[in-house]
């Protein structure tokens, strides 16, 4: 059961064959509100997330076409989707049934196989294996279900057959099958425009008709279907796999913004045709592009890609995730040293804070046993604000700034610890910061150093601290300069020492 929420369209360009929708409709599902609002491209505004069971949601992400290595652009898309999934699970107590489709039959994979004289299945397996390793190195959780096109050919055939039988698709002389967009009046609702120009080839009845099955070409893999030999079109794969797993409706459907049109538009049209329904995906989540320099999208064709292993040689997975958290998932994100250094510095502020809390709690002689009401108030306000930000289209950037402000206030109180001592609220705040970052998927791991090397660093940092304090008292410039050299050398080895406290502390700078 669904009810209609009319939303009026924006003004659109005056390209002759493009017609803006006079009115587009996003259909509000019946069910239980979760309190979350998410941007939906059909409504062109934030809409309430309503679930049948408020604690269970279905989620499908379009996965990779496995013909080459993934790059930082893919990393930003999947890390941001991982963050949103974690938010739904950890902050809103929603059990997510996650699935991802892997396109392992495709023009590009077949071409790569031909070029390298390798079976296309081997090409796909190799790059899919690499993709999961890359995702694991970025701490992206694996979907519960991985569906590969090669394992779903029968369901895809059945899906195409039903659409042909319903009269909403037609077979062309070359054995291809096209979806007839003129039979689906809502076609164009995701991109919020319709295009009624001339078809681009003789087989098509309407310009926007698209292939759901590609007729056989010599030298290419093919499968027999009742209407002829061939292979699935790209768009049909996701529709057939999602329908097999989740049935006639899905809560969240996600991917990069470049998939909004035509991929998701086509998925929605053919799935609605198959299930004879008006809305198939209730919530579309589209992640903005990663820009390498200026306005250019990071992509293989522009030859401006950076591989995920080379990203992780320079920055940690936590740093990259922090950069993602500090941006808005829907908008383009810059990838440059300034953005990454800002993320690194932010992460360091959190790490220093947590170390300083340990030092503060363990090194004060007299405990007053009192609570600092203001600190507890600050904590409560920060917790409330976090939830409000996340409810509003997963605004993680505001969350991070909000928590930075909380730790800055707490740092001020800790610096005054000669006069007052408030361990309980400070510990609660540290616990909150740790669990918040963990919920976002930040591990706070101290690089690859083992316990022994950490102990050695602790010993060296303690020793330097004692030497430096004595040098300060004696105004020994030579010794102070030696201490600075040790600090700089350790920084070059990714150990950053904090001299601003009375007690020694350090963090891994990577
Ligand atoms: Zn897809």
């Amino acid at each position: 059961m669904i009810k209609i929420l009319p939303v009026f369209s924006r003004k659109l360009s005056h390209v002759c064959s493009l017609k803006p929708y006079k009115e587009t409709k996003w259909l509000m599902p019946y069910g239980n509100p979760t309190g979350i609002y998410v941007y939906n491209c059909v409504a062109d505004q934030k809409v309430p997330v309503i679930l049948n069971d408020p604690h269970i949601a279905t989620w499908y992400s379009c996965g990779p076409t496995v013909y080459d290595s993934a790059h930082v652009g893919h990393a930003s898309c999947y890390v941001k989707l991982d963050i949103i999934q974690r938010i739904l699970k950890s902050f809103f107590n929603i059990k997510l049934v996650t699935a991802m489709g892997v396109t392992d039959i495709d023009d590009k994979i077949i071409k790569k196989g031909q070029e390298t004289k390798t079976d296309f299945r081997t090409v796909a397996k190799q790059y899919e294996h690499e993709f999961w390793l890359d995702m694991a190195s970025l701490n992206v959780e694996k979907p519960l279900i991985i569906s590969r096109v090669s394992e779903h050919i029968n369901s895809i055939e059945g899906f195409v057959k039903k659409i042909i039988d319903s009269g909403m698709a037609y077979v062309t002389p070359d054995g291809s099958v096209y979806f007839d967009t003129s039979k689906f009046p809502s076609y164009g609702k995701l991109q919020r425009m319709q295009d009624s120009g001339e078809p681009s080839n003789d087989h098509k009845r309407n310009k926007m008709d698209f292939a759901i099955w590609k007729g056989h070409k010599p030298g290419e893999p093919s499968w027999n279907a009742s209407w002829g030999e061939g292979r699935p079109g790209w768009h049909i794969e996701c529709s057939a796999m999602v329908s097999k797993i989740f049935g006639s409706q899905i809560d969240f459907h996600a991917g990069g913004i470049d998939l909004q049109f035509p991929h998701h538009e086509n998925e929605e049209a053919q799935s609605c045709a198959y299930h004879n329904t008006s809305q198939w995906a209730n919530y579309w989540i589209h992640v903005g592009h990663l820009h390498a320099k200026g306005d250019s999208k990071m992509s293989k064709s522009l030859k401006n890609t950076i591989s995920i292993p080379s990203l992780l040689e320079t920055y940690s997975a936590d740093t990259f995730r922090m950069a993602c958290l500090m941006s808005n998932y829907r908008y383009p994100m810059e990838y440059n040293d300034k953005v990454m250094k800002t993320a690194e510095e932010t992460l360091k502020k959190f790490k220093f804070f947590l170390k300083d809390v340990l030092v503060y709690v363990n090194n004060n002689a007299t405990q007053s046993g009192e609570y600092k009401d203001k600190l507890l108030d600050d904590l409560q306000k920060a917790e409330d604000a976090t939830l409000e930000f996340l409810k509003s289209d997963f605004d993680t950037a505001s969350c991070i700034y909000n928590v930075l402000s909380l730790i800055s206030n707490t740092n001020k109180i800790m610096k005054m610890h000669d006069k007052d001592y408030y361990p309980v609220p400070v510990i609660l705040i540290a616990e909150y910061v740790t669990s918040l970052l963990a919920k976002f998927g930040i591990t706070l791991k101290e690089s690859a150093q083992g316990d022994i090397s950490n102990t050695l660093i602790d010993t060296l940092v303690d020793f330097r601290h004692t030497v430096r304090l004595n040098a300060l008292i004696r105004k020994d410039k030579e010794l102070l300069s030696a201490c600075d050299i040790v600090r700089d050398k350790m920084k070059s080895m990714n150990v950053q020492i904090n001299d601003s406290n009375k007690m020694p502390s350090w963090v891994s700078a990577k």
Side-chain angles (χ1 to χ4, degrees):
M1 291 286 283
I2 38 188
K3 61 184 169 188
I4 293 172
L5 177 80
V7 181
F8 296 93
S9 73
R10 298 163 295 180
K11 281 187 179 170
L12 293 165
S13 65
H14 296 288
V15 181
C16 55
S17 63
L18 292 177
K19 282 196 303 186
Y21 264 49
K22 287 194 180 115
E23 185 184 293
T24 53
K25 294 184 186 74
W26 172 72
L27 308 174
M28 192 185 296
Y30 275 120
N32 294 286
T34 57
I36 305 165
Y37 282 74
V38 64
Y39 177 81
N40 190 296
C41 55
V42 180
D44 191 25
Q45 64 183 33
K46 288 178 200 170
V47 295
V49 174
I50 295 171
L51 301 173
N52 190 21
D53 179 327
H55 297 296
I56 298 176
T58 52
W59 176 299
Y60 178 83
S61 300
C62 294
T65 299
V66 279
Y67 72 101
D68 207 341
S69 302
H71 56 69
V72 181
H74 301 115
S76 81
C77 179
Y78 292 115
V79 167
K80 287 174 188 178
L81 292 180
D82 182 66
I83 290 169
I84 296 175
Q85 292 183 344
R86 285 172 188 265
I87 291 171
L88 291 170
K89 289 188 276 190
S90 302
F91 290 90
F92 298 103
N93 198 23
I94 294 171
K95 290 186 176 78
L96 274 188
V97 186
T98 53
M100 184 186 276
V102 173
T103 302
D104 60 353
I105 301 171
D106 179 81
D107 292 345
K108 288 173 181 162
I109 303 169
I110 295 164
K111 190 167 168 240
K112 186 100 176 195
Q114 288 164 347
E115 283 167 2
T116 56
K117 297 196 171 22
T118 315
D119 187 280
F120 77 97
R121 295 174 199 88
T122 311
V123 172
K125 267 193 188 136
Q126 175 196 334
Y127 287 110
E128 187 192 331
H129 178 67
E130 194 182 297
F131 175 78
W132 295 121
L133 288 179
D134 283 344
M135 291 302 111
S137 70
L138 292 164
N139 198 25
V140 170
E141 289 180 337
K142 233 178 178 176
L144 299 181
I145 303 160
I146 298 167
S147 53
R148 296 173 189 87
V149 175
S150 60
E151 294 163 1
H152 286 267
I153 295 287
N154 286 344
S155 337
I156 296 169
E157 266 181 56
F159 202 94
V160 173
K161 175 89 170 57
K162 188 172 167 185
I163 302 178
I164 297 173
D165 291 347
S166 74
M168 295 185 80
Y170 53 91
V171 184
T172 58
D174 70 346
S176 297
V177 180
Y178 280 87
F179 184 83
D180 188 342
T181 51
S182 69
K183 302 271 175 68
F184 186 69
S186 298
Y187 188 82
K189 67 179 178 176
L190 269 75
Q191 61 158 353
R192 298 169 60 72
M193 62 178 78
Q194 292 171 315
D195 192 340
S196 53
E198 287 301 308
S200 55
N201 72 42
D202 293 343
H203 297 323
K204 285 207 229 177
R205 293 179 186 166
N206 311 286
K207 183 173 181 184
M208 299 314 290
D209 292 359
F210 54 92
I212 55 178
W213 185 266
K214 294 181 168 188
H216 174 60
K217 283 184 193 157
E220 291 189 354
S222 64
W223 288 262
N224 279 320
S226 57
W227 58 88
E229 202 180 339
R231 63 187 165 92
W234 173 36
H235 315 299
I236 202 79
E237 301 163 355
C238 293
S239 290
M241 293 192 293
V242 173
S243 298
K244 184 170 179 198
I245 300 162
F246 295 125
S248 61
Q249 205 152 53
I250 180 159
D251 297 313
F252 295 95
H253 191 132
I257 186 70
D258 51 332
L259 298 187
Q260 182 176 324
F261 185 86
H263 186 55
H264 288 166
E265 187 78 59
N266 294 351
E267 278 192 43
E268 175 74 10
Q270 67 210 359
S271 301
C272 286
Y274 179 85
H275 294 292
N276 192 23
T277 180
S278 305
Q279 182 165 291
W280 174 62
N282 286 336
Y283 302 99
W284 292 99
I285 307 271
H286 290 126
V287 177
H289 284 145
L290 189 75
H291 284 176
K293 261 185 199 160
D295 284 340
S296 57
K297 172 197 165 191
M298 190 174 282
S299 75
K300 294 247 158 59
S301 54
L302 294 169
K303 296 194 168 65
N304 61 354
T305 60
I306 297 163
S307 76
I308 292 166
S310 57
L311 158 81
L312 295 176
E313 274 172 24
T314 318
Y315 300 105
S316 70
D318 276 353
T319 300
F320 185 73
R321 188 169 282 256
M322 182 55 77
C324 292
L325 283 164
M326 294 174 82
S327 72
N328 181 308
Y329 80 90
R330 281 207 289 132
Y331 297 112
M333 173 178 155
E334 290 289 328
Y335 179 78
N336 55 40
D337 281 345
K338 193 174 163 223
V339 168
M340 294 305 291
K341 291 284 176 203
T342 305
E344 204 167 55
E345 285 306 314
T346 305
L347 201 55
K348 263 191 256 173
K349 278 183 191 165
F350 285 117
K351 288 183 183 178
F352 269 133
F353 172 72
L354 295 172
K355 289 237 169 177
D356 289 348
V357 168
L358 282 181
V359 172
Y360 173 77
V361 170
N362 291 326
N363 289 280
N364 281 273
T366 0
Q367 295 196 17
S368 67
E370 289 176 20
Y371 285 20
K372 182 82 174 168
D373 289 344
K374 187 182 171 309
L375 275 181
L376 288 175
D377 276 356
D378 286 352
L379 174 59
Q380 187 60 52
K381 279 181 193 151
E383 286 178 345
D384 294 345
T386 293
L387 273 185
E388 288 310 309
F389 288 131
L390 295 180
K391 274 181 190 171
S392 177
D393 205 17
F394 315 116
D395 182 0
T396 51
S398 297
C399 268
I400 297 295
Y401 291 116
N402 173 49
V403 179
L404 281 175
S405 152
L406 173 69
I407 67 171
S408 160
N409 291 340
T410 314
N411 272 329
K412 280 181 203 150
I413 302 282
M414 288 199 293
K415 293 256 161 75
M416 306 188 308
H417 62 58
D418 278 352
K419 284 188 279 177
D420 298 301
Y421 182 44
Y422 307 107
V424 171
V426 167
I427 292 168
L428 287 176
I429 289 169
E431 164 59 20
Y432 175 65
V433 169
T434 310
S435 77
L436 183 90
L437 295 177
K439 284 176 180 176
F440 285 143
I442 299 263
T443 59
L444 290 178
K445 275 186 192 151
E446 295 292 355
S447 74
Q449 295 152 345
D451 287 343
I452 294 174
S453 48
N454 280 346
T455 310
L456 285 173
I457 296 166
D458 282 342
T459 309
L460 181 58
V461 170
D462 281 356
F463 177 71
R464 176 189 168 277
H465 186 75
T466 311
V467 171
R468 188 171 170 274
L469 283 186
N470 280 315
L472 279 170
I473 293 163
R474 287 195 270 132
K475 296 197 170 91
D476 186 335
K477 284 186 184 168
E478 224 170 295
L479 213 46
L480 281 172
S481 148
C483 287
D484 286 349
I485 291 169
V486 171
R487 181 198 60 207
D488 295 344
K489 280 203 170 169
M490 293 192 72
K491 192 175 179 187
S492 71
M493 292 184 285
N494 291 325
V495 175
Q496 190 163 336
I497 299 172
N498 184 3
D499 275 335
S500 65
N501 280 329
K502 290 185 177 171
M503 300 307 296
S505 67
W506 65 274
V507 293
S508 166
K510 199 175 170 188

